[in-house]
Amino acid sequence: MKYLHVSDLHLGLKTDGRDRLEEQRAIMAELVTICQTQAVDVVLLAGDIFQNSVPSAEAEDLFVTTIERLAGKQERVVCVIAGNHDDPERLRAILPLAMKHNIFICTNLEEVFQVTPQTGRVQVTDAGKGYITIKKDDDVAVIGFLPYVSDTRMHALPVQGLPYDEKVVAYAQMVGAHFKKDAFSCLLAHLYARNARTFGENANEQDNRIGELLSVDVQDLPRADYIALGHIHTYQCVHRRSHAYYSGSCIEMQYNDSKKGVVLFEGTAKTGVKNVQFLPLQSVYPLKTLVVRSYEEAVQILQNEPAQTLIELTFVQDKPLSSSMIKELKNTFQQIVTIRLELLRLQRENSEEISYRKQMTSEELFQAFYTKIRGVEPKPELVEMFAALMEGTDEAN
Ligand SMILES: [Mn+2]
């Protein structure tokens, strides 16, 4: 069968207040087109469907219409898991109806899927807790679901008392117990794989800063023919032997972000996974930072920027910008999302101040600080007391 791995849709995302829904509608339409032209049988959505736990009606509408179009009239099976941005109960709400269209949404580790009557060529023949079995002619595949679940929500007895990563691995093993030798196996998971590469600071994924604590070693996950990961926004293969891939987000989330796309692959029980291919998305708007030194330079550069680029414009100059200039620029160039100003004079003053301060003794620094805050010079006794305290700390060290 042919599979499409997509992750981190972040529907309802705003960038510096700019709504991205129009762009996201185009991206979702492109996913449907890819499925049709590439004859995809199974779609894997690896979490972070929405940007917020309480998505707007428009964002929810876009999600529901997209998965309905992806599934077609039982043309394809759509598998969805919750990411850390999604509210589990909210995302799960449509599951009873969705399953009738061969759309399986897993938001908690206790979810038991059911099979409904099948009419299409791609059929769901078996389902249970955290897995489904798909059949197309002689080709059989088992999909295991491992949604993002916060530490406190992992209740099952065998995992109680374990550290976070071991709990995730224990759940993954329970799901992986359904993988069979004579079926292609695929694990769909939203997690932070240890040693995965993040792009820039990736400020949108707070977990990364906690690092090792919340990360999982991919080699501890059950053996599968393919591991479809979500959570990290940069496309990459994290572990070649396990065929563990992040497809990356399908929208640029930060300025100067990495190339966005989806992963297409094929596989059968006999051949294993083959033809893994990163497919760039055409409808994604680039997010770009521009630095200029004058209004004239800004106008000149912006004239050559494509209409769909989203720009953070920074002025580095000596004088502030007038509000009429800012208004004029924003009206003329819709690409501008935000305008920043870095005053050269302030930069110079700051660096002069710092080098001046470096030459002062701690008593002089204290005197200057006191005078600035209180408006009067400190009494000599106070300065002496401060000096004595400073000596004390020097001894202690
Ligand atoms: Mn994400």
Side-chain angles (χ1 to χ4, degrees):
M1 277 181 273
K2 212 163 178 185
Y3 301 78
L4 185 71
H5 167 196
V6 183
S7 91
D8 297 83
L9 277 53
H10 289 268
L11 300 178
L13 170 76
K14 284 191 168 87
T15 301
D16 287 328
R18 173 76 64 97
D19 199 292
R20 309 277 299 270
L21 213 59
E22 193 192 315
E23 176 191 357
Q24 293 188 312
R25 284 200 183 97
I27 296 169
M28 294 302 109
E30 192 178 346
L31 294 182
V32 176
T33 308
I34 291 172
C35 281
Q36 289 162 349
T37 54
Q38 299 281 347
V40 168
D41 299 300
V42 182
V43 181
L44 307 163
L45 296 180
D48 278 1
I49 304 302
F50 296 110
Q51 170 67 10
N52 304 306
S53 52
V54 188
S56 67
E58 289 91 346
E60 277 195 311
D61 184 302
L62 179 56
F63 171 60
V64 174
T65 39
T66 302
I67 52 173
E68 191 190 7
R69 290 173 71 198
L70 288 172
K73 286 195 170 68
Q74 290 209 354
E75 287 161 65
R76 243 165 254 120
V77 178
V78 179
C79 306
V80 184
I81 54 169
N84 52 312
H85 280 247
D86 303 309
D87 178 81
E89 279 81 19
R90 212 183 166 100
L91 188 62
R92 194 203 170 276
I94 56 166
L95 180 63
L97 183 60
M99 278 197 288
K100 292 179 183 160
H101 299 267
N102 279 349
I103 299 164
F104 296 85
I105 304 169
C106 192
T107 68
N108 69 78
L109 300 162
E110 306 302 315
E111 194 68 63
V112 180
F113 289 129
Q114 272 144 27
V115 179
T116 55
Q118 302 290 310
T119 54
R121 206 152 92 91
V122 184
Q123 304 204 329
V124 178
T125 53
D126 180 31
K129 191 162 143 184
Y131 81 97
I132 58 168
T133 304
I134 306 170
K135 193 170 181 293
K136 183 190 175 191
D137 305 324
D138 296 335
D139 191 4
V140 181
V142 176
I143 314 290
F145 295 70
L146 190 63
Y148 170 83
V149 175
S150 66
D151 201 3
T152 48
R153 282 185 182 231
M154 287 190 265
H155 300 304
L157 276 176
V159 305
Q160 285 303 327
L162 294 176
Y164 175 81
D165 60 338
E166 287 178 34
K167 278 185 193 172
V168 173
V169 168
Y171 269 109
Q173 297 296 349
M174 287 187 239
V175 169
H178 298 286
F179 294 156
K180 294 185 202 89
K181 262 213 173 100
D182 52 356
F184 183 78
S185 57
C186 186
L187 182 69
L188 179 59
H190 192 91
L191 50 83
Y192 177 26
R194 207 161 291 164
N195 304 325
R197 222 164 11 91
T198 56
F199 188 83
E201 267 192 316
N202 215 349
N204 297 306
E205 294 306 340
Q206 296 177 352
D207 292 354
N208 292 1
R209 273 176 243 142
I210 304 165
E212 299 290 295
L213 270 179
L214 293 176
S215 64
V216 174
D217 193 335
V218 168
Q219 294 184 72
D220 294 337
L221 295 174
R223 289 297 291 273
D225 288 303
Y226 186 91
I227 301 179
L229 295 169
H231 190 45
I232 291 183
H233 297 160
T234 309
Y235 160 73
Q236 62 197 284
C237 174
V238 271
H239 195 249
R240 212 152 279 284
R241 203 160 42 84
S242 317
H243 300 286
Y245 286 84
Y246 279 104
S247 62
S249 62
C250 48
I251 186 162
E252 293 201 7
M253 312 250 323
Q254 52 184 349
Y255 291 99
N256 311 320
D257 210 339
S258 58
K259 188 84 196 141
K260 301 304 173 192
V262 293
V263 177
L264 201 65
F265 64 93
E266 290 169 54
T268 63
K270 260 193 205 131
T271 63
V273 69
K274 44 175 202 174
N275 303 337
V276 181
Q277 188 193 348
F278 176 75
L279 222 61
L281 288 166
Q282 307 302 322
S283 1
V284 173
Y285 295 3
L287 252 71
K288 207 165 143 179
T289 53
L290 271 183
V291 180
V292 293
R293 298 198 165 256
S294 68
Y295 181 84
E296 293 70 30
E297 192 190 351
V299 171
Q300 203 189 357
I301 293 181
L302 286 164
Q303 277 169 345
N304 299 317
E305 281 297 333
Q308 292 182 328
T309 311
L310 300 180
I311 292 171
E312 181 198 72
L313 184 63
T314 303
F315 281 89
V316 181
Q317 58 183 39
D318 256 322
K319 52 184 193 302
L321 286 163
S322 73
S323 59
S324 62
M325 268 182 176
I326 295 175
K327 221 173 169 183
E328 176 81 27
L329 272 177
K330 282 193 167 174
N331 282 341
T332 319
F333 302 103
Q334 302 294 317
Q335 303 102 313
I336 302 174
V337 177
T338 184
I339 297 181
R340 292 176 61 240
L341 174 69
E342 278 175 25
L343 282 177
L344 281 170
R345 186 165 45 84
L346 281 181
Q347 279 181 3
R348 269 198 302 273
E349 276 171 10
N350 273 340
S351 61
E352 276 165 21
E353 170 97 9
I354 288 164
S355 61
Y356 173 65
R357 265 196 236 143
K358 275 186 185 155
Q359 298 163 12
M360 290 164 83
T361 65
S362 46
E363 280 104 295
E364 283 169 339
L365 275 169
F366 175 69
Q367 266 173 316
F369 175 74
Y370 190 97
T371 312
K372 193 180 168 192
I373 299 295
R374 293 284 173 100
V376 288
E377 285 198 15
K379 288 188 177 137
E381 305 95 85
L382 195 62
V383 179
E384 268 169 43
M385 210 197 281
F386 176 78
L389 272 171
M390 285 303 287
E391 257 172 51
T393 56
D394 282 350
E395 275 163 27
N397 288 335

